Amino acid sequence: NAGVTQTPKFRVLKTGQSMTLLCAQDMNHEYMYWYRQDPGMGLRLIHYSVGEGTTAKGEVPDGYNVSRLKKQNFLLGLESAAPSQTSVYFCASRRLAGDTGELFFGEGSRLTVL
Amino acid sequence: GQNIDQPTEMTATEGAIVQINCTYQTSGFNGLFWYQQHAGEAPTFLSYNVLDGLEEKGRFSSFLSRSKGYSYLLLKELQMKDSASYLCAVMDSNYQLIWGAGTKLIIKP
């Protein structure tokens, strides 16, 4: 059982380039999340989705876009990368709306913007 | 605003006991989570508390006091592999998780 899979694991971008991070989960979870994690700070929510075809902004959405065309996939896009977006990105999923179950995390994607 | 506070770093000795505290102020409360995160890896679930009291799971225990907005994670018989960051997170009234910055636990032989 793969759980939550993120690709790519590592990427180096130049300022202004674009890229997409892919998150795939095989647990039939409704909720999916994209977080960023920076040194000395907690996980910060970028965007999330409560189901196929829906997305919502989190705490730090600026500079990012997302799509959830299929239930199992949640894509995070950077249209014009900036050095401030250098971070480790984690995707996570949870079973149901209003469920107090745990989040399952992907392995993370380390992004460096030069 | 919503806030989760936990110590930045703690040091303990192998075989000893350590308590990591977490205090919170959130909009509503639907439970408190503890996650473990080894360096360079993803967070993994340790415990969930929604009612006051102590939950024990092997060497790890987690305590919650909702009236005080306080929780702690207790690690017994520390092993070198317990060196990691421990993240406290509260689920608010919208079932969203609010995360603390994490406590880096260093275990010395």
Side-chain angles (χ1 to χ4, degrees):
Chain A
N1 195 347
V4 180
T5 304
Q6 291 180 230
T7 53
K9 299 288 190 293
F10 301 93
R11 184 75 186 269
V12 178
L13 289 176
K14 295 181 180 179
T15 296
Q17 287 185 318
S18 63
M19 76 159 294
T20 299
L21 295 175
L22 170 63
C23 177
Q25 54 94 4
D26 61 3
M27 296 174 284
N28 202 34
H29 284 175
E30 292 292 338
Y31 271 32
M32 296 186 74
Y33 306 81
W34 275 108
Y35 289 96
R36 60 178 290 173
Q37 187 175 42
D38 301 293
M41 304 184 74
L43 289 162
R44 292 187 292 168
L45 183 64
I46 304 171
H47 285 280
Y48 65 100
S49 168
V50 302
E52 181 178 316
T54 71
T55 62
K57 294 181 180 180
E59 181 186 354
V60 289
D62 294 342
Y64 305 94
N65 56 75
V66 287
S67 65
R68 185 128 180 243
L69 299 179
K70 293 182 178 181
K71 186 177 182 178
Q72 63 267 32
N73 295 337
F74 194 29
L75 278 65
L76 178 70
L78 286 73
E79 290 187 347
S80 180
S84 61
Q85 293 177 305
T86 293
S87 187
V88 180
Y89 292 85
F90 286 101
C91 176
S93 70
R94 184 157 63 88
R95 191 165 58 96
L96 291 172
D99 181 59
T100 52
E102 65 190 272
L103 261 65
F104 292 83
F105 285 86
E107 293 180 341
S109 298
R110 186 174 297 274
L111 176 65
T112 301
V113 183
L114 303 175
Chain B
Q2 307 201 93
N3 193 51
I4 310 286
D5 286 318
Q6 48 182 135
T8 302
E9 187 174 296
M10 299 182 70
T11 302
T13 304
E14 189 177 14
I17 299 173
V18 71
Q19 178 175 310
I20 303 173
N21 296 325
C22 172
T23 58
Y24 63 89
Q25 289 181 306
T26 57
S27 303
F29 181 83
N30 278 303
L32 186 144
F33 293 81
W34 284 97
Y35 278 78
Q36 181 190 58
Q37 186 177 25
H38 285 102
E41 298 182 8
T44 54
F45 172 78
L46 285 178
S47 68
Y48 170 70
N49 294 68
V50 67
L51 299 176
D52 289 352
L54 187 69
E55 295 276 346
E56 297 186 77
K57 191 185 293 186
R59 293 189 299 115
F60 292 8
S61 302
S62 55
F63 172 83
L64 175 67
S65 169
R66 288 173 297 173
S67 62
K68 296 182 179 178
Y70 168 71
S71 173
Y72 67 73
L73 181 69
L74 191 71
L75 291 74
K76 303 176 183 177
E77 301 170 13
L78 286 170
Q79 302 176 9
M80 297 304 293
K81 67 179 182 179
D82 297 330
S83 292
S85 289
Y86 291 85
L87 313 180
C88 174
V90 173
M91 186 168 282
D92 68 11
S93 56
N94 294 318
Y95 294 94
Q96 298 295 347
L97 280 174
I98 311 301
W99 295 85
T103 299
K104 182 178 181 179
L105 178 62
I106 300 168
I107 309 297
K108 295 186 175 180

